[in-house]
Each structure stands twice: as structure tokens, then as C-alpha cells.
Amino acid sequence: MAAANLLVELLVEELPPKALKKLGEAFGATLLEQLRAQGLAGDDSVLTPYASPRRLAAHVTQVAGRAADRAVSQKLMPVSVGLDAQGRPTPALLKKLQAVGADASAVAGLRRAVDGKAEALFHESTARGATLAEGLQKALAEAIARLPIPKVMTYQLADGWTDVRFVRPAHALVALHGSEVVPVEALGLQAGRVTQGHRFESAGAVTVPDADGYARVLREQGAVIASFEERRAEIARQIAAAAEKVGAGARAIEDDALLDEVTALVEQPNVLTCQFERQFLEVPQECLILTMKANQKYFPLLDTRGKLTHRFLVVSNVRPEDPGAVIGGNERVVRPRLADAKFFFDQDRRKPLESRVEGLDKVVYHNKLGSQGERVERVRALAKVIGAQMGSDELAVHADKAARLAKADLLTDMVGEFPELQGTMGRYYALADGVPAGMADAIEDHYKPRFAGDSLPRGEVGIAVALADKLETLAGLFSIGQLPSGDKDPFALRRHALGIVRMLLERDLPLDLDQLIAESLALFPQAPAGTGAQLADFIYDRLAGLLREQGYTAQEVDAVLALRPQRLGDIGKRLAAVRAFAALPEAAALAAANKRIGNILKKADGPVDPHASEALLREAAEKALHAAMRETAPAAQAQFEAGDYTGSLQTLAALRAPVDAFFDGVMVNAEETDLRLNRLGLLATLHKAMNRVADLSRLAG
């Protein structure tokens, strides 16, 4: 049978929308992988996956009707085991031949070849290539078995006896190779060429003439856009057109996750414009946007300033001649949701945020770490210290007050209904209570950054409270042994650590990391010894990962972080200096020498005093190195203290020649104790000077 394009479709009940895209991609990818493994599809075969609410399908080009036969070479056993002294087959060889489907007549045709240290016997045969029906049956079973199904259903087939387990009940199977049906079965269904169109917009059954006509026939006769990506693009196009029609610069809110979910809910999208009463715009727009997106899957419309308008877009799955009923229905549905949000907002404002703080004592934070009230007091203590270190007593006072109010909105009705709004609502309620804007912003911002790429807190008060909140979380959970394990991180500690790193790094804060960790752990006397070092390692690991993502090499990052710099804001300059140094012709030799010096000092008996007496210098090479260092080191030190790390390392590059000469002409471990200690002191002085910016030995190959 000649090669042709293949189409496989499973028609099912409505699939879980949040999983649909992955299900479609996985179904097609596994199908192609299995066909290739059996020689039915090649590297030039192209996969086109399809996924709609009621179907998973895959189109694969250039699929063979039968795989080519292939030569198979099977190792049987060593010659010494398979043949006796006269060259006759042993019982063991005959038994092995029987196992591979051969008999004694095959002995003469066995191939001898060296395998390792001994000569072995190999049986050569030809394996028949699988037919498409055989291969597709296996591939289909594997594709179904490996679907990333969130939750499996069990249902009965029409016979009333057979149980089937799948994500949703399946109703039809289409398998076409060109225009021919491939006789396979799955989930109790026999393959054919008939599927179903749109549940409401089509006449029902749709006959697929051939593999290449699948998407076209479904669209023309079944009112279904089978491709997930095409449907998504069509929805985005209609949303943009509808927003433009509203005018006044209106634009739909951008939300890729919502667009994916809506794409998974409709087979023939139809975007309609709806509206709600303007009075609801008195409620903070975050509340309205969240309820429309999360509960109704609507796209709110914003004006040119980014403010919410009273119009929104709905993606319908039907195209009636008069859309008025669909529009009116959606407007009726959203109204109670918005009314609830307005009620919560009005009720919450009747009670000052400050009055809710006391209630946090009754809210459990962690059974080993106390209540939210106790946690707030710990965050306040840290925020005051951080605020004072960052700038002034005034900042410390503001950070303390903001930290006291930061968790109070957890007890509001709005946050109780929409936990995603914690912090956001606290800011609104604080402003309504007359709290200064900087402190109110800090209430919202102390959760930031909440995810990769999120913005940092806006002001210094927000930074202080955010740092305190994240440090308290890390210190508390590390103190009771609640560390992330593998891919499990239920308390998002990696995200908290990365947030701390980003704030210290990007804002160049005058804060020492070890001191912050020590002050945080002081709040948890139960923390076992070594917790501080463990937490520091955890944070530096996040920092290393972030720097590598930013394009720095592992060697550069390792060299800088080996010194555990406390001011993370300096790290960018240190990395730039290391990169510039590595480009110098002297870099490789100096890095290798630095590594050698480090090894020599490690092997010394006890710590080495970084000092050398000029009177004990004997060899010309050590005198030259001492003189070069006396000339170079002070300048490099001054540049380092001025923050010119690049200049400092480049100044030290002048030491290459005297360092090379020293190792060529001087025996460090001299027999005379005074001489040996003096040379070690000279090397220790050099090592200290060279490793202020970074551990240059880490750059050695």
C-alpha cells in the first residue's frame, strides 16, 4: 500500500477546557512517535494536531501502508558455549535457536563476530514490517494510555457490561489513510469515516471523505473549527474587531490563559458585545474584572487609560440570526455577580481596616508557627529593622504601620470571596480609611513579586514590608523543617527566595543578606543549629539560577558567588568585571595560578598570615613579585573600594609575568621554616588581592 496522509479522530463528550490544549498536543505527538518507531512514518512526516471541546484528532503526512522489512541481528551466546570441540551445536544453542523461532538447520548460517573479549554467535533474520492496521492499533492504544488526563471517568458501553476508563465517554472513532478506512478499534469503538459536527449548529453526522478533507468538511458541514490554534486566532480576531466597533479606544483585557480556556469551550466562536449598569463601576475594577473572568469567562473592555468600562465581550458557541437573546442572557447572568461584589465592597468599608487586625489572632497561620496575628508581629519587627537599615527612623515607622495592616484584609468579605484580591483590597480599604498612599501601596505590594516577571513594590515602604514578609516566611518554615523537596514546594518558598533576591539585586539595597537571615531566624528560637547556613544556601541557589537565566555563564556566576557577596546590588558590577577580565590575554594564566595558590595554602599547616618580610626574600623571582605587588595591589585595592571592580581586576592582570616567573623559579615549600612561611605569606597576600571581586580560580579550566 502506497504512502498517504493519515487522519485519526476520537469524538467524545465535552473535554475539560483547561486541559484540552495539552490533551490535543499529547494525543498527536504520541501517535506520530509510535508510528515513527514502527517505521510507518518518517522524519519528513508532519503532524497537525486538532482539539475542540468534543474531539481529539491528528493529521500525519506521509504514512506508509506497510513498514519496510528490516534485518534483525540477535546475539545468541559465546561460541565456546554454543559449539562443542567438534563444532557441533550444544543443547544450549539449540534451545536458544528454538526461542528465536529457528531450528538446527540455522546453525550453519550463524554469524561469528567478536563481542567484547570473546567471539559470539549471531542469528540473522528479517522481521516483517508492520501493516498500518497493526501499527496504528498499537500507536492509538499508546496515545490514549499516555494522555495527561486530569481525572479518569469510568462508563459502560452499549452492551451494558463492558466498562471503559477514559477522560470522557467516547462516541465515534475515525481513522482514514488517504480515503481508506483503517480497521482499528479503541474504547470499544470501530473505526469509520463518520463523525459529528457542532452540537447545535450542524445537522449532525458528517462524513469525512479523506484524511486531507477533515478540517474543511468539519468547518463547511459541521460548523466546527477543529484546530485549536485556528480557533484561538479567530477568537482573538473577533475580540479585536468587537472592541474597535465599540470605539473610544476600547480594548479587551489581555489574558492568554483565559483565551486558551475560552478556545477550549467553543467549536464555532461568535464574539458578542454586552454591557452592565454603570453604577457597578464604583467598585474597584480588580473585583469586577476578576468575577467576569473567573466566573463567567468574559473579556472586560478597558478604555485608553486602562480603566474598566461598562462593556464586556462574551465568546458564544452559537450564531443565531438575532443575538439579542444570547446578549440579554449573559447580561442577566453577570448582574448578580457584580451586585455581590458591590455588596461585599460596601459592607467591608463600614469597618476600618485597623479594627480587623485583632481578629488575626484567631486565624491559624501554621500549627507550629502560631496565628496570623503572631505572624504579623514578627513581620512588623523585621520591617522596622529593615526600614531603619534602608534609610531612616521615619521609614521604619511607616514600614511598621504598613506591616500591621498588611494582612487585615484577609478578614474582609471581598477577600473571603476572592482570595486572589488579598493586598489589592487592603490598599483600597486603607486609602478609604485615610492611610497615606505610600503605606497603602505597601499593603498591596508586600506580596510582590508574586511570579516570574512580576513588578517589584513601588516604594521603599513596600520594599521593606515585602522583604520582611518573605524573610519571615522562609525563616519560619525552615526553622520547622518545612523545606521544598524535588518539585514539591507547597509554601512557594522558591518564589519567596527569588523575590528577596530580585529586590536586593534590582534595587541595590544597602542590606547584608547574612544579617537579614540572622535577624529573621532570631524570631524563631526553635530553629536548629545550621538553619542560617541552610537558608543562605537556598537563597544563593535561587540567585545563581536567576543570573544564569540572564545570560551569565556558570563559570562567571560561580566565581562571583563563591565569595558569598552580601550586597547583592554589587553583583552585576562584579559579573561585568569578571567577564571583562576573562577576555584579557593574561586571564587564563592568572586563573590557573590562583587555583594553584589556593591549593598550596589549603595544604599549609594551619592558617597563613598574608604578610611577607622583604628581608627574607632571596630569589630574584620572589623579590620581583613582591615589588610588583607593592606597586599594583594598593591601586587595585583603591579601585575595589571605589566600586570600580573592572578596573581593579585589570590592574591586577599586570601581575601575570612576575607570578609565572615566581612559580618557575621559586620553591615555595623550602626546608627552612622562616623561608617557607614567608613565601606562603607572599602567596596569601597575592591570593587575597586577586580574590576581592570574585574567586578567579573558578575561571580556570
Side-chain angles (χ1 to χ4, degrees):
M1 190 186 297
N5 296 340
L6 175 72
L7 184 283
V8 180
E9 182 209 64
L10 270 174
L11 180 73
V12 296
E13 297 286 346
E14 276 73 7
L15 292 159
K18 290 186 178 179
L20 179 65
K21 187 177 182 181
K22 287 184 178 179
L23 289 174
E25 291 169 350
F27 181 74
T30 306
L31 207 63
L32 177 58
E33 171 198 303
Q34 292 297 308
L35 291 172
R36 280 178 173 160
Q38 298 175 80
L40 291 163
D43 292 338
D44 58 344
S45 295
V46 178
L47 167 70
T48 304
Y50 295 100
S52 82
R54 298 179 63 210
R55 68 202 75 236
L56 296 175
H59 180 274
V60 183
T61 64
Q62 293 299 303
V63 176
R66 183 174 181 274
D69 295 342
R70 67 184 191 280
V72 178
S73 180
Q74 294 173 283
K75 179 184 174 183
L76 300 178
M77 59 187 61
V79 172
S80 60
V81 177
L83 301 176
D84 62 18
Q86 289 74 40
R88 292 174 302 200
T90 63
L93 178 58
L94 294 174
K95 186 175 181 180
K96 184 67 174 178
L97 285 170
Q98 186 179 11
V100 298
D103 55 24
S105 64
V107 174
L110 295 180
R111 179 173 64 88
R112 292 188 181 198
V114 175
D115 183 59
K117 294 183 179 180
E119 192 176 29
L121 295 170
F122 292 82
H123 178 254
E124 310 290 340
S125 62
T126 300
R128 183 182 66 86
T131 66
L132 179 57
E134 295 167 341
L136 181 57
Q137 184 65 66
K138 181 179 178 182
L140 186 55
E142 191 69 17
I144 291 172
R146 284 164 55 179
L147 281 176
I149 299 174
K151 195 172 183 180
V152 175
M153 288 182 63
T154 300
Y155 61 95
Q156 286 185 333
L157 297 181
D159 61 15
W161 293 96
T162 308
D163 283 347
V164 175
R165 289 172 58 79
F166 193 53
V167 59
R168 292 291 185 270
H171 296 297
L173 172 64
V174 175
L176 295 173
H177 186 234
S179 59
E180 299 296 321
V181 173
V182 185
V184 293
E185 68 87 28
L187 305 174
L189 303 168
Q190 298 296 320
R193 65 171 72 248
V194 179
T195 185
Q196 296 290 319
H198 193 287
R199 193 180 287 279
F200 309 111
E201 299 283 312
S202 75
V206 175
T207 300
V208 184
D210 53 52
D212 292 344
Y214 173 74
R216 174 183 54 79
V217 170
L218 263 182
R219 184 190 285 265
E220 294 174 355
Q221 299 180 23
V224 170
I225 301 176
S227 167
F228 187 95
E229 294 304 325
E230 286 183 25
R231 214 163 53 253
R232 190 181 193 274
E234 174 61 14
I235 293 172
R237 185 195 67 77
Q238 290 189 34
I239 285 174
E244 185 177 359
K245 190 174 180 181
V246 168
R251 59 180 177 85
I253 197 162
E254 295 182 8
D255 189 323
D256 286 341
L258 177 61
L259 184 54
D260 282 345
E261 189 172 359
V262 170
T263 302
L265 287 168
V266 299
E267 290 193 314
Q268 180 76 298
N270 181 26
V271 174
L272 302 171
T273 304
C274 307
Q275 62 183 11
F276 55 82
E277 290 80 355
R278 292 176 184 270
Q279 64 177 359
F280 291 123
L281 293 176
E282 299 171 6
V283 180
Q285 69 179 41
E286 292 89 346
C287 310
L288 305 182
I289 290 171
L290 182 60
T291 192
M292 283 191 281
K293 285 169 46 178
N295 298 125
Q296 307 303 137
K297 315 305 175 192
Y298 296 155
F299 287 85
L301 287 177
L302 308 177
D303 64 18
T304 53
R305 301 167 300 161
K307 297 296 184 181
L308 183 67
T309 72
H310 70 295
R311 291 187 172 89
F312 61 93
L313 304 178
V314 58
V315 183
S316 173
N317 196 31
V318 293
R319 291 172 173 257
E321 291 185 9
D322 180 8
V326 178
I327 292 172
N330 281 283
E331 290 176 347
R332 284 193 301 274
V333 167
V334 77
R335 192 172 294 115
R337 293 282 187 181
L338 302 183
D340 285 345
K342 188 174 187 308
F343 174 78
F344 293 144
F345 183 58
D346 292 340
Q347 287 295 109
D348 286 342
R349 286 185 299 169
R350 293 183 177 182
K351 190 176 180 181
L353 202 58
E354 173 70 35
S355 68
R356 301 179 187 273
V357 174
E358 189 176 334
L360 293 171
D361 291 332
K362 299 176 183 178
V363 179
V364 175
Y365 166 54
H366 190 286
N367 60 356
K368 293 183 179 180
L369 297 174
S371 67
Q372 282 285 5
E374 292 172 296
R375 184 187 180 208
V376 164
E377 291 305 309
R378 294 192 293 265
V379 174
R380 287 181 64 189
L382 269 179
K384 283 177 66 176
V385 171
I386 293 171
Q389 292 176 358
M390 282 176 58
S392 64
D393 291 340
E394 183 182 9
L395 177 57
V397 170
H398 289 169
D400 175 32
K401 291 180 178 178
R404 174 174 167 77
L405 297 175
K407 305 295 182 184
D409 68 349
L410 296 177
L411 298 179
T412 62
D413 291 339
M414 187 71 83
V415 173
E417 181 71 14
F418 302 111
E420 303 92 331
L421 294 176
Q422 56 187 291
T424 300
M425 296 314 302
R427 175 180 176 275
Y428 278 108
Y429 297 143
L431 289 173
D433 294 341
V435 173
M439 291 167 57
D441 288 345
I443 293 172
E444 177 179 4
D445 290 353
H446 85 281
Y447 290 105
K448 295 180 179 180
R450 295 156 296 184
F451 49 84
D454 191 18
S455 60
L456 299 182
R458 283 163 277 193
E460 288 187 324
V461 180
I463 288 285
V465 181
L467 279 172
D469 183 68
K470 290 168 175 57
L471 284 164
E472 190 278 340
T473 300
L474 285 167
L477 290 164
F478 265 68
S479 74
I480 58 172
Q482 294 282 352
L483 280 64
S485 175
D487 60 351
K488 296 180 180 178
D489 188 7
F491 298 102
L493 299 188
R494 294 187 181 98
R495 177 169 57 80
H496 285 298
L498 193 56
I500 292 169
V501 164
R502 282 192 57 201
M503 284 185 277
L504 294 175
L505 195 66
E506 296 175 29
R507 291 294 176 85
D508 191 12
L509 299 177
L511 302 171
D512 287 351
L513 184 56
D514 281 350
Q515 186 178 350
L516 290 175
I517 291 172
E519 287 163 347
S520 304
L521 286 171
L523 301 170
F524 301 95
Q526 75 272 34
T531 303
Q534 192 178 33
L535 180 51
D537 288 344
F538 183 75
I539 293 175
Y540 277 108
D541 282 347
R542 307 283 84 70
L543 172 59
L546 177 65
L547 294 173
R548 287 194 294 269
E549 287 176 6
Q550 292 176 352
Y552 295 104
T553 68
Q555 270 191 327
E556 291 168 344
V557 172
D558 190 29
V560 170
L561 297 193
L563 301 186
R564 290 297 180 95
Q566 293 298 298
R567 285 284 299 273
L568 301 196
D570 281 347
I571 285 177
K573 290 192 294 183
R574 289 175 184 258
L575 285 165
V578 167
R579 181 167 287 182
F581 173 79
L584 297 175
E586 302 90 348
L590 282 173
N594 192 54
K595 187 174 184 179
R596 184 176 179 181
I597 293 168
N599 290 333
I600 291 171
L601 295 175
K602 285 177 186 176
K603 294 176 182 177
D605 296 330
V608 177
D609 179 23
H611 173 75
S613 170
E614 193 170 357
L616 290 172
L617 299 174
R618 292 186 181 177
E619 304 291 342
E622 61 183 327
K623 292 178 180 178
L625 177 58
H626 184 267
M629 287 175 56
R630 191 166 50 191
E631 180 180 344
T632 303
Q637 171 74 7
Q639 289 169 312
F640 174 81
E641 291 175 352
D644 183 8
Y645 300 146
T646 300
S648 180
L649 288 181
Q650 290 177 339
T651 297
L652 291 170
L655 294 173
R656 177 193 172 175
V659 167
D660 287 348
F662 177 88
F663 281 117
D664 287 342
V666 178
M667 173 67 71
V668 176
N669 290 315
E671 291 185 7
E672 299 95 328
T673 302
D674 289 349
L675 197 59
R676 182 174 66 253
L677 292 177
N678 198 61
R679 288 171 178 173
L680 288 172
L682 179 63
L683 291 181
T685 304
L686 175 61
H687 194 258
K688 182 179 178 181
M690 290 179 67
N691 292 289
R692 287 194 179 94
V693 175
D695 182 353
L696 299 184
S697 68
R698 306 297 177 105
L699 300 178

